[in-house]
């Protein structure tokens, strides 16, 4: 089976089909491929898509994670301040182009920020200390939403006083 086949791809094996009429040569055997979905990877043409969890501290401070690819693991640098849903592209980590025999697609990695779900009392206190140091201006979307809400309430107040 050639690398990179996808559902619906066909392959012909000459001379491997049924015997010909009246002792004639065997015909060709046509194979139609049906590729099952994968639990981790999704395919679109030559590109591969996957979602990977990133611990919140790596997303916040930056770092490197190991990402699965169809060719094995790959390192991915996560810049400080990465938000959940950000998509990174790993060039050449996709599917081999079966039609042309050369070239590969890319892998698109969508990060999902993971927060710890069980903290000890000591860990909670340490996190609380950090949180007390942070302000709304450390959170771009929170600041933006707060400004929009304040503007909305200000206009609403003006309209109600009329």
């Amino acid at each position: 089976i050639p690398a990179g086949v996808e559902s619906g791809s066909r392959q012909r094996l000459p001379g491997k089909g049924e015997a010909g009429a009246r002792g004639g040569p065997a015909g060709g055997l046509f194979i139609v491929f049906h590729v099952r979905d994968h639990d981790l990877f999704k395919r679109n043409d030559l590109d591969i898509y996957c979602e990977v969890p990133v611990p919140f501290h790596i997303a916040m401070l930056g770092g490197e994670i190991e990402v699965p690819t169809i060719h094995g693991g790959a390192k991915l640098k996560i810049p400080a301040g990465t938000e959940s849903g950000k998509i990174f592209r790993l060039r050449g980590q996709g599917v081999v182009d079966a039609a042309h025999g050369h070239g590969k697609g890319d892998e698109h990695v969508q990060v999902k920020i993971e927060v710890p779900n069980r903290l000890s009392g000591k860990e909670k206190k340490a996190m609380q200390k950090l949180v007390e140091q942070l302000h709304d201006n450390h959170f771009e979307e929170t600041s933006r939403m707060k400004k929009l809400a304040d503007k909305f309430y200000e206009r609403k107040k003006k309209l109600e006083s009329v």
Side-chain angles (χ1 to χ4, degrees):
I1 299 174
V5 297
E6 56 187 317
S7 288
S9 296
R10 294 173 20 151
Q11 185 174 14
R12 181 176 180 264
L13 301 176
K16 300 295 182 182
E18 289 191 32
R22 297 187 197 134
L29 171 66
F30 287 89
I31 300 171
V32 178
F33 295 97
H34 299 280
V35 180
R36 284 187 295 207
D37 288 338
H38 193 274
D39 291 336
L40 181 60
F41 301 112
K42 303 290 180 234
R43 179 177 177 175
N44 183 1
D45 197 20
L46 298 178
D47 290 341
I48 295 293
Y49 294 81
C50 77
E51 183 178 272
V52 297
V54 175
F56 82 100
H57 65 281
I58 292 177
M60 185 171 59
L61 302 172
E64 194 172 80
I65 62 169
E66 180 84 13
V67 174
T69 76
I70 61 173
H71 307 289
K75 299 283 186 193
L76 177 63
K77 288 184 180 182
I78 304 294
T82 296
E83 294 184 7
S84 203
K86 170 93 172 137
I87 297 173
F88 295 92
R89 181 171 67 175
L90 298 174
R91 293 177 192 257
Q93 293 295 326
V95 177
V96 174
D97 188 348
H100 300 99
H102 65 280
K104 288 183 186 175
D106 299 327
E107 181 169 328
H108 302 268
V109 179
Q110 184 173 23
V111 298
K112 181 179 178 186
I113 307 306
E114 187 175 30
V115 296
N117 56 8
R118 291 183 297 273
L119 295 176
S120 69
K122 186 178 179 181
E123 292 164 335
K124 285 181 184 178
K125 284 182 183 179
M127 286 301 297
Q128 190 59 44
K129 271 188 164 184
L130 171 64
V131 169
E132 289 168 3
Q133 301 294 314
L134 299 175
H135 305 285
D136 284 348
N137 61 352
H138 288 105
F139 302 94
E140 187 177 322
E141 287 300 310
T142 301
S143 292
R144 188 176 80 73
M145 189 216 47
K146 199 170 205 170
K147 286 176 187 173
L148 289 172
D150 288 347
K151 196 174 185 179
F152 171 77
Y153 296 137
E154 188 178 305
R155 285 182 181 163
K156 184 178 177 190
K157 217 180 215 182
K158 282 182 183 178
L159 288 172
E160 288 173 349
S161 67
V162 174

